[in-house]
Amino acid sequence: MAKKDQRTDAAGEKDREKWMARFQVRLAMQPGVDRAVVLQAVKDVTAHCADTGEHPRTAFGDPDAYAVQAAARLVPVDRAARARRHDAVVDALDSVLKRAGDVAGL
């Protein structure tokens, strides 16, 4: 029975690690999120789970959705808006360059 518990614990730990990895990646992709925001969010999730013993999925739900919520909570609105504008300009420039390359046959 002890081996089964160890396997269950290992599977649960692997699932927690996968949840945290996905959460971190999705959070980093949100506008205005920097390293400090990711570290703070991970610290918050880790502390909550350590205190309650809950799995992050039970406590916070889907990692993608929670990443959006955490970014909205931790990133100042003006910084997120500035990052969105920057991303839009970069995307537009990339599109123009791609079209120019297509026209020139590059």
Side-chain angles (χ1 to χ4, degrees):
M1 179 105 161
K3 286 188 180 189
K4 185 175 182 180
D5 290 342
Q6 287 175 348
R7 279 186 256 143
T8 303
D9 289 347
E13 182 60 31
K14 184 170 183 141
D15 190 46
R16 277 189 286 282
E17 289 173 4
K18 286 172 71 173
W19 190 97
M20 288 296 290
R22 184 167 182 107
F23 170 65
Q24 290 176 52
V25 168
R26 296 298 185 184
L27 181 60
M29 294 171 61
Q30 299 302 308
V33 171
D34 60 8
R35 184 174 184 267
V37 169
V38 173
L39 291 174
Q40 182 61 51
V42 168
K43 181 179 174 184
D44 293 346
V45 169
T46 303
H48 176 84
C49 292
D51 291 346
T52 65
E54 287 181 293
H55 186 285
R57 186 173 308 281
T58 304
F60 302 103
D62 179 65
D64 297 347
Y66 189 64
V68 172
Q69 293 173 10
R73 182 173 47 87
L74 295 171
V75 176
V77 175
D78 61 329
R79 186 167 76 186
R82 191 170 43 253
R84 279 189 205 91
R85 284 192 305 273
H86 177 267
D87 291 348
V89 169
V90 169
D91 289 346
L93 183 58
D94 185 49
S95 177
V96 168
L97 291 173
K98 184 175 180 179
R99 287 185 195 150
D102 291 345
V103 169
L106 300 175

